[in-house]
Amino acid sequence: MKMAWDINIVDIKELQTPDRLSICDFSVALEKAFSYPNDFFIIEWNGIGLKMPFSYCLSDVLEDVLDIIEELMKAEMGEYYTGFSPNEVFDCDWKLDWNGDRLEISADWRQGPLPVAELVEHCSKCIVSKKHFLMSWKMLFEYCVEKLSEISFDYESNEQSLRINRIISTMN
């Protein structure tokens, strides 16, 4: 005998189609997921904390950072130069020189989170363990991937996401 009336409990998630945000790539996802200037990370450079917003800063320099990391992972020793895209928070050029675990980064700061004179005086060169440098970026990328996975994005290009995941899985 069929009931004329019943109550069915259905998880509301099954009834809703999640709104998916169509975006270009991972760097645009950073722009959408994090708020400027409230969501940020800090790069410690010779004891000076450089405040870097995820949105507007990391999203702008992401390609350059990915290139740097891939170059460092390729060879035991080498040199690499990059001119970061002009960004009022992180406007500089980096020359990287490494041998084994020793990484020297020479920076030519045009402007940044500190007055240029202070940046030039205290931040023109940084010497760090290459492994520590890479692991720091890995940790930051893992955080970004986790946060972005909580949002439904449709990527037009997965290239940056694939590069980031490859970097994360390759680093010990």
Side-chain angles (χ1 to χ4, degrees):
M1 174 179 204
K2 191 168 179 159
M3 300 297 280
W5 183 83
D6 205 351
I7 295 176
N8 294 304
I9 299 172
V10 179
D11 187 352
I12 192 74
K13 292 177 195 164
E14 293 177 18
L15 299 176
Q16 297 175 336
T17 305
D19 292 331
R20 295 188 70 83
L21 186 58
S22 182
I23 56 164
C24 179
D25 57 21
F26 195 88
S27 61
V28 175
L30 291 172
E31 290 281 333
K32 301 289 184 193
F34 294 100
S35 69
Y36 177 82
N38 301 329
D39 296 326
F40 62 90
F41 60 100
I42 296 175
I43 294 177
E44 289 288 328
W45 184 289
N46 290 336
I48 298 172
L50 305 175
K51 184 177 175 180
M52 302 291 162
F54 286 96
S55 176
Y56 183 64
C57 185
L58 181 59
S59 58
D60 284 356
V61 300
L62 183 63
E63 278 295 321
D64 295 320
V65 170
L66 292 174
D67 290 344
I68 287 170
I69 291 170
E70 289 173 342
E71 285 298 316
L72 288 170
M73 292 172 67
K74 274 186 206 175
E76 185 68 19
M77 63 183 291
E79 287 184 5
Y80 187 78
Y81 173 84
T82 190
F84 288 102
S85 305
N87 176 299
E88 66 186 57
V89 177
F90 198 80
D91 187 7
C92 63
D93 296 334
W94 278 9
K95 180 182 179 264
L96 296 96
D97 189 359
W98 67 96
N99 189 349
D101 193 43
R102 183 183 187 278
L103 171 62
E104 182 177 304
I105 307 168
S106 300
D108 178 16
W109 299 92
R110 290 178 290 281
Q111 64 182 22
L114 301 171
V116 173
E118 191 173 340
L119 284 170
V120 169
E121 183 181 335
H122 298 289
C123 297
S124 61
K125 189 179 286 186
C126 180
I127 299 173
V128 65
S129 156
K130 182 174 103 171
K131 181 174 182 169
H132 179 75
F133 180 86
L134 292 171
M135 295 307 283
S136 298
W137 284 108
K138 176 188 177 187
M139 183 183 73
L140 183 68
F141 289 154
E142 286 173 331
Y143 175 80
C144 291
V145 166
E146 179 183 324
K147 289 296 176 191
L148 295 182
S149 71
E150 297 170 3
I151 303 170
S152 296
F153 287 121
D154 283 331
Y155 294 98
E156 292 174 19
S157 169
N158 284 329
E159 182 181 335
Q160 288 177 335
S161 296
L162 293 172
R163 288 176 74 188
I164 289 168
N165 287 324
R166 191 169 39 249
I167 286 169
I168 289 171
S169 66
T170 304
M171 284 192 219
N172 305 350

